Every structure is written in C-alpha cells, then in structure tokens.
Amino acid sequence: GENVEQHPSTLSVQEGDSAVIKCTYSDSASNYFPWYKQELGKGPQLIIDIRSNVGEKKDQRIAVTLNKTAKHFSLHITETQPEDSAVYFCAATLDTGRRALTFGSGTRLQVQP
Amino acid sequence: DAGITQSPRYKITETGRQVTLMCHQTWSHSYMFWYRQDLGHGLRLIYYSAAADITDKGEVPDGYVVSRSKTENFPLTLESATRSQTSVYFCASSARTGVYEQYFGPGTRLTVT
C-alpha cells in the first residue's frame, strides 16, 4: 500500500518568512495529493491540492509543487502570518477505487510574531 | 448548511463497553470515511464506504464495525472498547465524480478508561 513520509515534524519561522514542508510517497499510481491544515480542536481543512498531471499549483500565499519522477511534493507558504500557525498534513491517494487518503505524520508550524 | 457533523464531540467510556460514534453529512456525498488520529501516526483509515450498503476495511479495522443504510449517515461502533482505542475519530466525505476532495467533520475525542 501507499506510504507517505513528511518532514520536518516541527517548523518555526518568523512572521513574513517562507515555510516549506516536504512529503514523499511510495506508490507511483497515486495521482491526487491534498494538503490539510488542522487547528487545535478542529478537523483537518483542505487548503490546496494537486493532481499528477500538474507540476505546480498556487493559491495566493500557498503553493504546492509535485515531482512525479522523484515521488515527492512540497507545500510552500510565503509571507507567513501568525494565523498560519497550525499542524499541516500532506496526503496521497489514487482517485479511483476506495480513494482513501494516506496521510503523512504532520508538521507543526509555529509563526513567531 | 450543516455540512458534516459528528456526535458526540467528547465521550468517556469504560473498557468492554459498546460505543457508537455518529457521522452525518448533508451533501449527499457517495463516499464516507472514518479515520483515527493518534500522536505520531497522523490519521489512519479505519473503514470507508463508497455508497449506501457498501463498506470495506481500511488500515486499522480491528475492533470496529460500520454500517451505512442511508447515504447521509455512517456510524462507527466499537463493540467492546479497549484502552488502545482511546483516540480522536474523524469522519470525512467525498463526492463520487468530478471533485475528489475529502471534507472532514470536527472529530470525536474518545477516552476509554
């Protein structure tokens, strides 16, 4: 089955700096890669996703890049703000069949004001 | 527009008792999922359902039972709760075609004493 590894487990940045979180996946058949943000006491919230036919996707301060050959994808947050502080999860799945997500272990991002 | 809801939000039970966690979605999504979240493990799939009356095991199904008689509901039952089932449980749903995003409920924090 799919295995997703995520690094780093914790990340502390100064407000206004950029943050990068990296994930690798094992199953070359996976073709959908979402990123979730989880705030304390809440469920994961989808913030951006990318499909295997696209190399990069951007939404305001958030971008995701995908390298299918190397089987890794990354989340980039620019101009970080204190409200970006949360736990971020990457995930991977094949969008047919059971379509269940395999998650990375999460990155706790702390943005220092 | 309630989206996806879970009940109860918090539950304390004793070892050996049966517990049912409820999940309800108002989008008529075909797919529904149960995940558990534990420190160091991220989110792991317990069971999923592709449609009413269609369910299948995920990564960690032992000790859990699900049913899906109606599209909007997907209850998760712990038949005889054990301390190892102390966790936060998340329900999610996804449409069958077109978009593949999974939307998560707020979670149920379950403690087994």
Side-chain angles (χ1 to χ4, degrees), chain A residues 1-4 26-27 30-32 92-103, chain B residues 30-35 43-51 54-61 68 74 92-96 99-102:
Chain A
E2 177 66 273
N3 182 53
V4 177
S26 62
D27 189 349
S30 290
N31 61 357
Y32 175 64
T93 190
L94 178 63
D95 65 5
T96 58
R98 69 178 193 175
R99 289 167 41 180
L101 295 169
T102 299
F103 284 86
Chain B
S30 294
Y31 283 84
M32 295 188 75
F33 309 85
W34 274 106
Y35 296 89
L43 290 96
R44 293 180 291 174
L45 180 70
I46 305 171
Y47 269 95
Y48 74 99
S49 170
I54 301 175
T55 63
D56 206 350
K57 297 177 180 179
E59 183 183 352
V60 288
R68 192 159 176 217
F74 192 36
S93 71
S94 176
R96 173 174 289 280
V99 294
Y100 303 104
E101 292 87 344
Q102 286 189 25

Side-chain angles (χ1 to χ4, degrees), chain A residues 63-81:
Chain A
V64 57
T65 59
L66 172 66
N67 183 326
K68 287 189 297 182
T69 302
K71 290 189 283 187
H72 66 72
F73 55 114
S74 300
L75 177 71
H76 305 254
I77 306 174
T78 59
E79 301 174 14
T80 54
Q81 302 167 2

Side-chain angles (χ1 to χ4, degrees), chain B residues 4 7 12 15 25 31 34 52 57 62 67 73 82 92 95 97 105:
Chain B
I4 184 165
S7 62
I12 300 174
T15 300
Q25 51 104 355
Y31 283 84
W34 274 106
K57 297 177 180 179
D62 293 344
S67 62
N73 296 323
T82 65
T97 59

Side-chain angles (χ1 to χ4, degrees), chain B residues 15-94:
Chain B
T15 300
R17 290 193 178 265
Q18 183 179 79
V19 178
T20 296
L21 310 183
M22 304 301 294
C23 179
H24 176 78
Q25 51 104 355
T26 60
W27 297 306
S28 297
H29 282 170
S30 294
Y31 283 84
M32 295 188 75
F33 309 85
W34 274 106
Y35 296 89
R36 61 178 287 174
Q37 184 174 34
D38 305 291
L39 281 174
H41 290 281
L43 290 96
R44 293 180 291 174
L45 180 70
I46 305 171
Y47 269 95
Y48 74 99
S49 170
D53 297 323
I54 301 175
T55 63
D56 206 350
K57 297 177 180 179
E59 183 183 352
V60 288
D62 293 344
Y64 303 95
V65 174
V66 294
S67 62
R68 192 159 176 217
S69 58
K70 294 184 178 180
T71 298
E72 61 267 29
N73 296 323
F74 192 36
L76 176 73
T77 297
L78 289 67
E79 293 188 299
S80 179
T82 65
R83 290 194 180 88
S84 64
Q85 292 177 310
T86 293
S87 186
V88 181
Y89 291 85
F90 289 100
C91 178
S93 71
S94 176

Side-chain angles (χ1 to χ4, degrees), chain A residues 10-81:
Chain A
T10 60
L11 179 60
S12 182
V13 300
Q14 292 293 318
E15 183 177 357
D17 288 349
S18 295
V20 180
I21 302 171
K22 299 181 178 181
C23 290
T24 60
Y25 62 99
S26 62
D27 189 349
S28 57
S30 290
N31 61 357
Y32 175 64
F33 307 92
W35 285 88
Y36 286 84
K37 175 183 181 182
Q38 186 177 27
E39 296 176 332
L40 194 62
K42 297 184 178 180
Q45 179 184 10
L46 180 70
I47 56 172
I48 196 167
D49 57 12
I50 192 167
R51 302 189 188 285
S52 58
N53 59 349
V54 176
E56 184 174 0
K57 184 177 179 180
K58 190 173 182 180
D59 183 4
Q60 299 182 352
R61 297 186 296 109
I62 294 174
V64 57
T65 59
L66 172 66
N67 183 326
K68 287 189 297 182
T69 302
K71 290 189 283 187
H72 66 72
F73 55 114
S74 300
L75 177 71
H76 305 254
I77 306 174
T78 59
E79 301 174 14
T80 54
Q81 302 167 2

